[in-house]
Amino acid sequence: QQQVKQSPQSLIVQKGGISIINCAYENTAFDYFPWYQQFPGKGPALLIAIRPDVSEKKEGRFTISFNKSAKQFSLHIMDSQPGDSATYFCAAFNNAGNMLTFGGGTRLMVKP
Amino acid sequence: ETGVTQSPTHLIKTRGQQVTLRCSSQSGHNTVSWYQQALGQGPQFIFQYYREEENGRGNFPPRFSGLQFPNYSSELNVNALELDDSALYLCASSSGGSGQETQYFGPGTRLLVL
């Protein structure tokens, strides 16, 4: 069962544009929300993470926006670069089960 | 590179066979988590080992089992392989036994079941 729904499945953005990826969750027990970046042939790597007591977190060109009441969170990549082309996964952590649940992934292509 | 290594990189098995996948955690880490990533999907949590004990398990049948050694390296064993077990198997190491620490993923083992 998919407890974290991610959209879109794929995204094409021009260099310098803003990439936006959205996730929604159902389980209110989730209390930690990381985003991972995965390049072909590699394992996922942590990009940025947020806790539900914060509405926004920014690290460089990457920003997470979090809406607790709507149970939604999103990743914004500002000034997108061709090197950002990868698959992005949102995830949510459930402390009760000690498990990380991933969304289905978004394949981002940034055109030069 | 994360310092997490996995072996083998690729593996082909037939239905009904058994397989063992290995993971060496990053230096200083005492927690290993295993994930199954089917093609085009997000990783699914199988289980986590913390200080040699299972510390959480996802929705996988008992034929998926694991082990963590005193040096914190880990094995994933899958018995009675099924076609749907074909996937990329990822391990991730971290310290502290909670999913909230940064997990460092290895490159994965790609398993094909025929």
Side-chain angles (χ1 to χ4, degrees):
Chain A
Q1 69 284 13
Q2 186 182 8
Q3 296 186 40
V4 180
K5 295 185 179 179
Q6 184 171 344
S7 63
Q9 286 187 312
S10 63
L11 182 61
I12 301 174
V13 173
Q14 289 295 128
K15 178 183 176 181
I18 302 173
S19 304
I20 301 174
I21 304 170
N22 301 299
C23 284
Y25 63 97
E26 300 166 0
N27 189 347
T28 54
F30 289 142
D31 60 1
Y32 174 69
F33 301 88
W35 284 87
Y36 284 83
Q37 179 188 56
Q38 185 175 27
F39 292 103
K42 303 283 189 182
L46 179 67
L47 199 58
I48 186 172
I50 197 168
R51 298 187 191 280
D53 54 347
V54 176
S55 62
E56 185 175 282
K57 183 174 181 180
K58 183 176 180 178
E59 288 183 3
R61 296 185 294 109
F62 301 92
T63 300
I64 300 178
S65 298
F66 188 87
N67 186 330
K68 188 174 181 178
S69 60
K71 291 185 283 186
Q72 295 175 348
F73 57 112
S74 61
L75 175 69
H76 290 63
I77 305 174
M78 312 299 288
D79 187 26
S80 298
Q81 299 297 312
D84 296 331
S85 297
T87 300
Y88 292 81
F89 294 98
C90 61
F93 178 72
N94 182 346
N95 200 33
N98 205 31
M99 60 184 285
L100 198 56
T101 301
F102 283 80
T106 296
R107 181 175 285 185
L108 171 66
M109 179 186 297
V110 181
K111 288 192 168 183
Chain B
E1 299 301 322
T2 63
V4 179
T5 60
Q6 293 187 241
S7 62
T9 55
H10 296 81
L11 201 52
I12 300 175
K13 291 284 188 179
T14 56
R15 194 170 48 182
Q17 285 188 312
Q18 178 265 342
V19 69
T20 297
L21 309 181
R22 295 178 176 81
C23 172
S24 291
S25 57
Q26 187 169 320
S27 177
H29 287 177
N30 55 16
T31 305
V32 172
S33 304
W34 285 92
Y35 297 83
Q36 180 194 66
Q37 186 176 21
L39 200 61
Q41 296 183 25
Q44 278 196 291
F45 177 73
I46 303 175
F47 44 58
Q48 180 185 87
Y49 277 83
Y50 171 59
R51 292 184 176 178
E52 303 179 58
E53 297 287 332
E54 188 177 289
N55 190 40
R57 189 179 181 93
N59 190 26
F60 279 81
R63 60 189 185 83
F64 285 79
S65 63
L67 198 58
Q68 188 177 33
F69 299 99
N71 66 354
Y72 302 126
S73 65
S74 178
E75 286 183 355
L76 165 65
N77 298 290
V78 187
N79 293 322
L81 283 167
E82 300 177 359
L83 298 180
D84 285 348
D85 295 334
S86 296
L88 180 68
Y89 287 85
L90 296 161
C91 79
S93 80
S94 58
S95 58
S98 163
Q100 294 198 23
E101 314 97 14
T102 299
Q103 296 191 22
Y104 295 87
F105 283 82
T109 293
R110 188 162 295 281
L111 172 65
L112 178 61
V113 182
L114 301 175

